[in-house]
Amino acid sequence: MTTFENDVAVVTGAAGGIGVGICRALLDAGARVALADVDADGLDRAVEELGDARAVPFVVDLGDDEQTAGLPERVRDHFGGLDVLVNNAGIRQVTEIADLTPSEWRRTLDINLVAPFVLIRAVLPGMVEQGRGKIVNIASLAGLTAVRGRAAYGAAKAGLIMLTRSVAIEFGSRGIWCNAVAPGVVETPMTSSFFQDPAVTESLVQVTPVGRWGRPKDIAAPVIFLAGRASDFINGVTVPADGGWTAGYHAVGV
Ligand SMILES: NC(=O)c1ccc[n+]([C@@H]2O[C@H](COP(=O)([O-])OP(=O)(O)OC[C@H]3O[C@@H](n4cnc5c(N)ncnc54)[C@H](O)[C@@H]3O)[C@@H](O)[C@H]2O)c1
């Protein structure tokens, strides 16, 4: 018996680094997976890389409320069900507050916070009707602690963490689990610029107690736990998957 026994999972941002890692782990654990992303070519590459007929691409622009709200129905029409939602799509915005414009602020909140809210609202009726559903939101260490230049991104991710808790308390008694994973730095296309500069990689190692940055599978592992049945007594939490970064200040000699 596998963890997901043919359950259907939809993963947003599935063409991205962490998204592909989550999809692979879900397939390995027995799920059928709807890969959702705005990047059609990226989705084709992801599906080819996964090489599994249970992985099916769905092009969707999560900046468009109507398209976003319509995604669960498309997934249900194709697979005949929808058991797990992973809100993983996100955009990074690195600008200090003095230079950050209201439109950048709104766009960052739209993709990182409003879209997960719209998608959660759209999956809930079907999940409640079937008596069970698991939602996992991908937040960020920047939603747990302030990071320079991430005011908009961090506010969106902190909002996503509070949305997670709100869904858990409003829907927990109706068979819905909503938890979050807050990644630290993970090597993906989103963060590729970090890894071109040895000074940056060295400082990443310094601030991370486990002494390395993350890989997509480091994030996929807690997602599988929170999307599966082993976590049925856990609702509304955010699990930092950051190598200990947010555990506390750990500079030597202070
Ligand atoms: N990589 C990290 O270090 C890191 C750290 C903390 C949190 N995260 C979070 O993890 C998640 C995945 O990040 P990643 O590093 O894999 O990034 P990525 O850039 O590799 O992937 C993000 C994906 O989201 C998709 N996306 C963006 N806008 C979209 C839209 N309007 N509609 C549909 N899809 C859209 C992109 O096309 C892309 O495929 C994000 O929510 C990110 O904020 C990443």
Side-chain angles (χ1 to χ4, degrees):
M1 197 174 76
T2 60
T3 309
F4 295 102
E5 296 176 69
N6 236 14
D7 282 353
V8 175
V10 54
V11 178
T12 68
I18 292 174
V20 174
I22 292 171
C23 292
R24 186 185 308 285
L26 284 164
L27 291 165
D28 288 348
R32 293 175 285 161
V33 183
L35 286 80
D37 206 291
V38 70
D39 177 356
D41 294 341
L43 273 180
D44 287 345
R45 282 193 298 275
V47 167
E48 197 182 321
E49 188 184 326
L50 292 167
D52 190 314
R54 295 169 302 150
V56 178
F58 291 80
V59 177
V60 61
D61 180 0
L62 297 170
D64 179 321
D65 290 348
E66 213 171 308
Q67 282 187 41
T68 306
L71 178 65
E73 196 180 335
R74 290 168 61 200
V75 173
R76 283 181 181 280
D77 283 350
H78 181 87
F79 285 109
L82 202 176
D83 307 285
V84 173
L85 165 65
V86 183
N87 275 311
N88 166 72
I91 54 169
R92 196 162 65 110
Q93 171 66 51
V94 185
T95 310
E96 295 203 7
I97 292 167
D99 299 317
L100 189 61
T101 65
S103 70
E104 287 169 331
W105 179 274
R106 285 196 188 92
R107 176 74 184 160
T108 310
L109 263 71
D110 269 351
I111 305 303
N112 293 329
L113 179 57
V114 178
F117 160 72
V118 173
L119 209 37
I120 287 170
R121 279 198 75 218
V123 298
L124 279 172
M127 286 181 170
V128 168
E129 199 185 325
Q130 70 199 18
R132 186 178 173 89
K134 291 251 174 176
I135 300 167
V136 183
N137 296 321
I138 306 302
S140 170
L141 72 79
L144 294 169
T145 190
V147 179
R148 182 172 285 275
R150 301 329 191 261
Y153 180 78
K157 294 296 192 180
L160 186 58
I161 288 167
M162 191 50 73
L163 173 63
T164 302
R165 297 169 69 168
S166 301
V167 174
I169 62 155
E170 290 189 18
F171 284 87
S173 62
R174 286 180 266 176
I176 305 300
W177 288 260
C178 186
N179 293 292
V181 175
V185 175
V186 180
E187 190 169 3
T188 69
M190 184 183 269
T191 53
S192 56
S193 61
F194 296 171
F195 299 95
Q196 278 143 30
D197 181 348
V200 175
T201 50
E202 178 54 28
S203 88
L204 282 176
V205 169
Q206 291 292 330
V207 296
T208 309
V210 303
R212 66 169 175 86
W213 52 87
R215 295 177 289 258
K217 67 179 185 184
D218 294 315
I219 310 308
V223 171
I224 295 299
F225 172 65
L226 293 172
R229 286 163 201 268
S231 58
D232 276 2
F233 204 53
I234 297 174
N235 212 346
V237 306
T238 296
V239 177
D242 61 3
W245 181 315
T246 52
Y249 183 73
H250 73 289
V252 178
V254 179

